[in-house]
Amino acid sequence: MHCKHAMLLLLLYLCSSIHAFIEKNLIVSFFRKKNLSHNVVITCLNNKAQLELSKALMDEASFLLQLTHIKFSNVMTLISSNYKRMGIVLDGDCKEAKTFILKAGNHKVFDSMHFWLVLYNSTDPQQLFKYANLNIDSEIKVAHPILRGNKNFSIYDVYNPAYGRGGELKASKVGFFDYVESYVEDNRGNKYEKRKDLSGVQFKTGVVLPEPFVCSVEEYLKNDRDIQINTFNRFHSRLMSYCEQYYNFSMRIGLNRSWGYLQSDGTMDGLVGDLARERIDFGLSPLFVKPDRVNLISYGRKTWNLRAAFILRNPKSRKSYQIFVKPLSLEVWMCIVGCSVLAIHFQRLGYCFDKKVKDGDVDISWGFSVICTFGAFCQQGIIGFPNCFSGRAAAYVTLLLGLLIYQFYSASLVSFLLNVPTTVISTVQEILDNGYRIGCEDVLYDKDFLKHSTDSVVNEVFKKLTTLSYSNETGFLKPEVGLELVKKGRYAFHVELATGYPIIVKDFAEATVCELKEVPMFPVQRMHANYQKWSPFKNAMDVCLHRLAENGVMTRETLFWHPRKPECMRFADTINISTGLEDFYPALCVLLIGIVCGLEILGMELLWNRRDSIRKFFEAKATTIPFEN
């Protein structure tokens, strides 16, 4: 009996020594330090001990806390189903602790949203986490007493840079706990800055390069030739190569021809499909945010703004008659007409007054005054001057007014011809209404947008592109071919601007560049870095991309890979001020109408002057001559 009692007391002593390490003050201090409001404590204590520990923690804590046994069947569901910041304390001395940690790693709860504090008596935490699925984003702190039974604890940070990709488990002391200073941890600097050494890690990646090339993928992504080809894919891969140098990892690059679109069987192809099936860790090409991709992959920082538009030669913004009419506004023309009427009246009064003062053969008709005024305005002079002072004053004022109007009109006409034509077409609907032939760059994202758009105008564009019957029999062309058709006129080609600008600079004349117009079919599309769903490397890569942006590297690369818009340089040799027959024909029409009207009036006057002879002729024809045998 004494022997049995001794064995029982020894067992109780060992149990109490093992679990005496679960220090309530350390747990509460950890939760408060990390600002955690939803927390779980996992132990292997019996029900009575759990109840006592729960009451002790509740007395100290002012946050939500749940105590559970490590063998509880739903404990993993409780942890993994919560997507908020959660604090988890685990008794690492439980015999089931290693199995539990392996299971937690498979459920991917060692991440940046779950803050773990593992209470472990051993000074070697690698015994617990050697085969666990940890990664660079893990938030695991291991606490063990400095001396057995001591209330002072050392805090270690435990993580693996990349589990299963060549990473090795690492542990380093980051703080301590005692009753004087409570929980103390070195939080200086960014977590990923401290863990930036990923030596020995190799990631599987993929890049989309729809246009063919001759060298290897690695060599092609490193060179800077022909930046207008596969532009934004090479731009994004260049940024990720900087992150490769920043973290000192390596990449095994695969090649894709598609960014990832929904197939008839409900699966995704291309880059998105590889990410969803976990064949690659992240993409070297940026992706649009699309509803059918959100549930399959995780998006990171925005890197590229894709700008695409219809490029066309701006049609003449003015009709031929406007060249002669538009330089002066309607109000000015009305003032000129009013001044002309006054000048006609003053001139006729001058001639009439001159007739009364001095007899002479002076034409005082309204027609004569109109001709004189019109001649003065056209710089042809006045046929006759009256002798009286008032009449001459009216004539001088008319001549001066004509000179001013003529000079002002001539200057306005030249200025109107020199001005850059205003934009006529500003929407896709106006392109269709003006009878332009249309084309589109032969790329998958344009076809996908056109195919799935609900906009009626875009649907009409897609219908035209797929039912063309001229020359190429399709509206989807290579950029060089489409822009060559734009150069010929009356053709609108939809192309990514980063692809189209270098071709325009190379092949278009300065005068033609000044006529080009951009009409977007869809707004600027933001393209993002992309990773596996819930990837542990997303935050680390985004930190690198943010650093590139802060240091100006991303801006420098953007300026290099996205060429500037070709500027319209209005040099003397690019300004075409010659007026062709299509512009001048309204003046010829006015002349022809004047000639026709003059001939008609002349004919009417001749008939009027010979009315007596004509009347006698018709009367003679109407006289009956009697028949004589």
Side-chain angles (χ1 to χ4, degrees):
M1 287 294 293
H2 292 290
C3 183
K4 289 183 179 180
H5 282 292
M7 291 293 295
L8 181 60
L9 290 172
L10 177 62
L11 180 62
L12 290 174
Y13 171 77
L14 291 175
C15 290
S16 61
S17 64
I18 290 174
H19 298 293
F21 176 52
I22 302 179
E23 173 60 49
K24 65 174 183 177
N25 293 315
L26 171 61
I27 296 174
V28 173
S29 181
F30 172 76
F31 289 152
R32 287 176 177 170
K33 186 71 175 181
K34 298 294 184 179
N35 253 337
L36 302 170
S37 58
H38 189 184
N39 307 292
V40 177
V41 178
I42 304 169
T43 71
C44 50
L45 298 174
N46 57 37
N47 293 337
K48 183 179 180 181
Q50 282 193 44
L51 182 60
E52 292 177 355
L53 178 61
S54 177
K55 291 174 64 178
L57 290 174
M58 287 298 185
D59 291 339
E60 297 289 337
S62 58
F63 39 74
L64 182 62
L65 179 65
Q66 187 169 353
L67 193 68
T68 183
H69 197 276
I70 196 170
K71 291 184 178 180
F72 183 54
S73 59
N74 291 330
V75 63
M76 198 57 63
T77 304
L78 174 67
I79 297 173
S80 59
S81 62
N82 191 288
Y83 297 103
K84 299 178 181 179
R85 286 165 50 88
M86 174 182 279
I88 305 169
V89 173
L90 173 65
D91 184 357
D93 291 319
C94 297
K95 64 179 182 180
E96 300 90 353
K98 289 185 179 180
T99 304
F100 182 84
I101 288 173
L102 292 177
K103 189 176 180 181
N106 295 332
H107 280 77
K108 298 182 179 180
V109 291
F110 291 128
D111 56 14
S112 58
M113 301 301 292
H114 295 83
F115 295 81
W116 290 75
L117 176 63
V118 180
L119 310 177
Y120 193 45
N121 269 304
S122 172
T123 58
D124 185 13
Q126 295 195 9
Q127 296 179 11
L128 283 175
F129 298 97
K130 185 175 181 181
Y131 302 106
N133 185 2
L134 309 184
N135 287 289
I136 193 172
D137 66 333
S138 301
E139 286 285 353
I140 302 175
K141 300 297 181 288
V142 176
H144 70 84
I146 298 175
L147 296 173
R148 180 173 293 276
N150 195 342
K151 297 299 183 179
N152 296 329
F153 305 92
S154 295
I155 309 297
Y156 283 81
D157 183 34
V158 178
Y159 73 98
N160 189 327
Y163 176 78
R165 299 168 180 82
E168 296 181 355
L169 190 67
K170 297 184 179 182
S172 59
K173 185 176 180 180
V174 293
F176 63 90
F177 172 83
D178 58 32
Y179 281 94
V180 178
E181 299 188 46
S182 188
Y183 184 91
V184 178
E185 181 184 333
D186 182 12
N187 290 323
R188 291 174 298 178
N190 185 277
K191 175 176 70 175
Y192 300 104
E193 179 72 20
K194 298 176 182 178
R195 302 178 179 182
K196 63 184 295 185
D197 184 12
L198 302 187
S199 301
V201 175
Q202 184 181 62
F203 291 115
K204 294 179 291 183
T205 64
V207 62
V208 182
L209 299 172
E211 296 297 326
F213 51 92
V214 293
C215 56
S216 66
V217 177
E218 290 78 6
E219 293 175 353
Y220 182 68
L221 294 178
K222 289 179 181 178
N223 70 62
D224 296 336
R225 298 188 300 270
D226 301 323
I227 62 174
Q228 74 277 8
I229 301 175
N230 297 318
T231 303
F232 60 80
N233 302 290
R234 295 164 66 188
F235 162 82
H236 188 80
S237 67
R238 182 67 57 85
L239 297 181
M240 299 305 288
S241 70
Y242 294 147
C243 292
E244 178 185 16
Q245 300 171 25
Y246 180 76
Y247 287 116
N248 197 29
F249 60 81
S250 61
M251 296 186 294
R252 190 172 65 192
I253 304 174
L255 182 61
N256 265 299
R257 298 295 180 185
S258 169
W259 290 272
Y261 298 97
L262 195 63
Q263 303 300 296
S264 56
D265 58 357
T267 61
M268 279 282 183
D269 68 344
L271 187 64
V272 176
D274 288 345
L275 288 170
R277 299 178 188 93
E278 299 187 356
R279 295 174 181 170
I280 60 176
D281 297 303
F282 53 84
L284 294 186
S285 294
L287 292 175
F288 300 127
V289 176
K290 291 170 57 68
D292 52 4
R293 296 174 177 173
V294 171
N295 294 327
L296 301 176
I297 64 174
S298 292
Y299 287 96
R301 191 191 191 280
K302 188 269 293 181
T303 59
W304 181 264
N305 289 326
L306 187 140
R307 295 178 173 88
F310 279 105
I311 297 180
L312 63 147
R313 292 184 68 174
N314 197 28
K316 294 178 63 176
S317 61
R318 51 203 176 207
K319 302 295 188 293
S320 297
Y321 72 88
Q322 290 179 319
I323 295 178
F324 300 95
V325 176
K326 202 66 176 177
L328 301 180
S329 65
L330 179 62
E331 292 81 4
V332 175
W333 282 115
M334 295 299 294
C335 290
I336 292 174
V337 172
C339 292
S340 301
V341 172
L342 291 177
I344 292 171
H345 280 81
F346 287 138
Q347 288 221 45
R348 187 172 183 277
L349 288 175
Y351 291 130
C352 292
F353 186 70
D354 188 58
K355 170 92 173 147
K356 293 179 181 178
V357 173
K358 182 180 180 181
D359 295 334
D361 190 12
V362 179
D363 190 349
I364 61 173
S365 65
W366 287 104
F368 183 75
S369 298
V370 171
I371 292 174
C372 289
T373 304
F374 193 73
F377 285 178
C378 295
Q379 301 297 290
Q380 300 302 311
I382 293 179
I383 300 175
F385 272 82
N387 293 322
C388 64
F389 177 78
S390 59
R392 288 179 178 272
Y396 285 133
V397 171
T398 302
L399 288 172
L400 180 61
L401 180 62
L403 175 64
L404 295 175
I405 292 175
Y406 178 81
Q407 293 295 331
F408 185 76
Y409 178 77
S410 300
S412 300
L413 182 62
V414 173
S415 175
F416 184 69
L417 290 173
L418 290 178
N419 284 336
V420 177
T422 55
T423 300
V424 172
I425 296 178
S426 57
T427 64
V428 178
Q429 185 62 56
E430 290 174 352
I431 293 177
L432 301 174
D433 294 341
N434 279 269
Y436 271 70
R437 294 187 301 162
I438 59 174
C440 183
E441 185 181 2
D442 190 10
V443 289
L444 290 175
Y445 54 81
D446 273 346
K447 291 181 178 179
D448 181 74
F449 173 78
L450 290 165
K451 184 177 180 180
H452 295 98
S453 176
T454 57
D455 187 88
S456 59
V457 177
V458 178
N459 292 337
E460 186 177 353
V461 170
F462 183 61
K463 183 178 179 181
K464 283 183 173 291
L465 289 171
T466 53
T467 58
L468 296 178
S469 59
Y470 48 80
S471 65
N472 53 292
E473 297 183 355
T474 178
F476 296 97
L477 308 170
K478 295 294 182 182
E480 296 82 3
V481 178
L483 291 174
E484 184 63 28
L485 295 174
V486 171
K487 190 192 300 184
K488 297 177 181 178
R490 303 297 298 175
Y491 189 88
F493 185 67
H494 191 270
V495 64
E496 186 194 354
L497 299 183
T499 302
Y501 284 164
I503 300 174
I504 293 173
V505 171
K506 178 182 176 183
D507 298 337
F508 281 56
E510 286 288 348
T512 308
V513 170
C514 293
E515 298 176 7
L516 295 182
K517 170 65 180 175
E518 297 173 8
V519 179
M521 183 166 58
F522 51 80
V524 176
Q525 299 291 312
R526 295 183 174 184
M527 306 189 75
H528 298 255
N530 44 91
Y531 314 91
Q532 290 181 11
K533 194 67 176 177
W534 310 116
S535 171
F537 312 106
K538 172 183 175 299
N539 290 337
M541 295 301 174
D542 280 355
V543 166
C544 172
L545 293 175
H546 279 299
R547 288 186 64 86
L548 294 177
E550 291 172 356
N551 297 333
V553 176
M554 189 174 293
T555 301
R556 183 196 67 191
E557 292 295 327
T558 302
L559 292 175
F560 175 77
W561 289 98
H562 198 298
R564 295 179 61 184
K565 180 178 180 179
E567 295 183 3
C568 172
M569 306 300 293
R570 304 291 289 179
F571 296 125
D573 56 348
T574 63
I575 299 175
N576 184 11
I577 60 174
S578 61
T579 303
L581 186 61
E582 70 277 4
D583 296 323
F584 188 68
Y585 81 87
L588 299 179
C589 291
V590 171
L591 177 61
L592 179 61
I593 292 172
I595 293 173
V596 172
C597 292
L599 291 176
E600 289 181 354
I601 293 172
L602 176 62
M604 293 175 63
E605 287 181 344
L606 291 176
L607 291 176
W608 178 259
N609 292 332
R610 297 183 180 182
R611 63 185 183 280
D612 294 337
S613 302
I614 295 173
R615 185 178 66 253
K616 291 179 181 179
F617 173 77
F618 282 107
E619 287 177 353
K621 291 282 280 185
T623 304
T624 304
I625 302 176
F627 174 77
E628 295 182 0
N629 192 354

